[in-house]
Amino acid sequence: MHFIGFEFFERQSHQNPLPHDQKAPNEGQEFSALRQKAGYTSPMYRAPIQTLALTTIALMLASCSSPSDRLELATRIAASANLDQRTYTLPDYTIKSWSRITDQEHPVNIYIEGDGFAWVNKNTPSRNPTPKNPIGLKLASIDPSPNVIYLARPCQFLETGNMQSCKQQDWTSARFSMKIINTYNLLLNQISPAQDGQKFNLIGFSGGANIAGLLASRRNDILSLRTVAGNIDNTAFTKYHHVTSMPESMDVANYTKDIHHIPQIHFVGEKDTIIPPQIASSYLEKTPDTQCIKVRIIPDISHTQGWETVWPELLKIPANCAD
């Protein structure tokens, strides 16, 4: 296996299909080889979280059980960053959003949430995918950019009345379906005219990374693509975890030829046992030209804890193409 373009920086881990406390198979040997290939630098500076309120909310997230509790805490996270709530009703899905737009002259940073509470365990889907720990929203809330829009995944953070069209496939086997990708594409079409054609920087957490990449392959208004603990090769991901493939879902790794010219940074948690560095390596191996792509491995970070402590510094790393 070739590990192309990796840099070590700082670390974290993903949601199901594996339970969070279950160690991924065969990780140590491959990762040791990766460290030798890439080299290893000392841990980066960990920037403090912007507000004490966000820290307090983060500690409370673990105790959230009901979807209404999770929505309430998400609302508090958003309020701490002056993100206003909005619900987008589209033909197939309703998407919850929080946003802050303050400067029409700047691009919009679009955050797409992870898979959320999709699985109770490896074999049991949840009844409601609203995340207990909305990493994507937490990252959006500490982004100092003038224009930030957070987009939940289908069926997340919705009131009961808006859940009627939701099916379990929407957050399990079909969570990257053409219908879902088309929904986000329509949503960005709605946002763009409203913001006078401003362009987008896409930022996807976990499974949201796959959606962000698939959107980038269909649009001409994407300035950059950043992923955090991102599932950017769903085929490699399902093979790695020895779980059923997802024939109803699309995979951004099959569209690398369409987005290799877009500046990309893929942040990978060194301790992430759900989406380990091997997934990004597989993505790079399928990319015809990697001069616009960076992969940074972040020490001491897993899939669901710690990203918000380093995100302000990671955001400062420019996404650009090599000369």
Side-chain angles (χ1 to χ4, degrees):
M1 180 178 291
H2 301 290
F3 300 101
I4 308 166
F6 278 90
E7 296 179 49
F8 277 79
F9 227 65
E10 268 259 304
R11 337 186 189 177
Q12 207 160 355
S13 151
H14 175 112
Q15 289 120 267
N16 290 309
L18 287 184
H20 291 296
D21 59 352
Q22 181 173 335
K23 185 173 177 62
N26 302 323
E27 178 190 2
Q29 187 172 10
E30 287 192 44
F31 190 67
S32 177
L34 175 57
R35 289 169 63 99
Q36 293 175 1
K37 282 270 188 182
Y40 188 82
T41 62
S42 59
M44 67 182 294
Y45 168 69
R46 289 178 172 273
I49 301 176
Q50 286 184 338
T51 65
L52 179 61
L54 182 57
T55 305
T56 303
I57 291 167
L59 293 174
M60 296 172 63
L61 283 170
S63 64
C64 298
S65 54
S66 73
S68 60
D69 289 339
R70 295 174 229 161
L71 173 58
E72 180 182 353
L73 284 171
T75 301
R76 293 181 187 178
I77 292 172
S80 73
N82 297 315
L83 299 175
D84 297 323
Q85 180 176 306
R86 177 170 178 178
T87 301
Y88 289 93
T89 301
L90 297 122
D92 293 310
Y93 296 101
T94 298
I95 303 294
K96 185 72 76 175
S97 173
W98 282 273
S99 63
R100 180 185 66 246
I101 303 294
T102 62
D103 189 340
Q104 301 288 345
E105 301 300 318
H106 282 75
V108 182
N109 286 1
I110 300 284
Y111 285 77
I112 303 176
E113 187 57 84
D115 298 339
F117 183 49
W119 297 85
V120 176
N121 56 48
K122 188 175 181 179
N123 300 308
T124 307
S126 71
R127 295 183 178 182
N128 187 306
T130 297
K132 295 183 177 182
N133 185 11
I135 303 295
L137 179 57
K138 291 163 75 174
L139 299 183
S141 73
I142 55 177
D143 186 334
S145 304
N147 304 319
V148 175
I149 297 178
Y150 164 85
L151 301 176
R153 299 280 288 282
C155 309
Q156 293 180 352
F157 300 112
L158 298 183
E159 296 78 7
T160 303
N162 289 327
M163 289 285 292
Q164 295 174 351
S165 63
C166 292
K167 299 180 174 64
Q168 281 187 338
Q169 295 97 308
D170 294 331
W171 57 88
T172 56
S173 61
R175 61 184 180 264
F176 309 126
S177 68
M178 176 72 78
K179 186 167 72 169
I180 286 177
I181 303 308
N182 287 342
T183 293
Y184 282 98
N185 203 36
L186 287 172
L187 181 46
L188 292 193
N189 289 344
Q190 282 191 25
I191 293 170
S192 185
Q195 306 305 328
D196 297 325
Q198 286 170 291
K199 294 190 175 183
F200 302 117
N201 296 304
L202 298 181
I203 302 158
F205 169 69
S206 190
N210 193 31
I211 291 177
L214 289 165
L215 282 173
S217 73
R218 285 156 175 74
R219 304 184 66 87
N220 59 11
D221 55 1
I222 305 304
L223 297 177
S224 68
L225 170 65
R226 290 173 173 82
T227 70
V228 178
N231 180 4
I232 53 175
D233 189 333
N234 196 49
T235 301
F237 172 78
T238 56
K239 287 181 179 178
Y240 180 80
H241 289 295
H242 306 293
V243 295
T244 304
S245 63
M246 296 158 54
E248 300 168 80
S249 288
M250 303 176 68
D251 186 351
V252 66
N254 295 331
Y255 297 87
T256 57
K257 68 181 186 305
D258 299 319
I259 63 172
H260 69 84
H261 63 285
I262 298 174
Q264 304 173 40
I265 308 180
H266 303 289
F267 297 108
V268 182
E270 185 190 9
K271 287 184 175 179
D272 193 336
T273 60
I274 305 299
I275 302 184
Q278 291 91 318
I279 305 304
S281 175
S282 179
Y283 172 84
L284 287 176
E285 289 176 346
K286 297 175 182 178
T287 302
D289 184 347
T290 60
Q291 68 174 351
C292 292
I293 304 175
K294 301 174 185 175
V295 174
R296 295 277 174 107
I297 298 181
I298 314 302
D300 303 322
I301 304 292
S302 71
H303 192 79
T304 57
Q305 296 175 343
W307 284 110
E308 66 273 19
T309 66
V310 297
W311 187 238
E313 291 299 309
L314 297 182
L315 268 175
K316 296 176 183 178
I317 301 172
N320 49 33
C321 298
D323 295 332

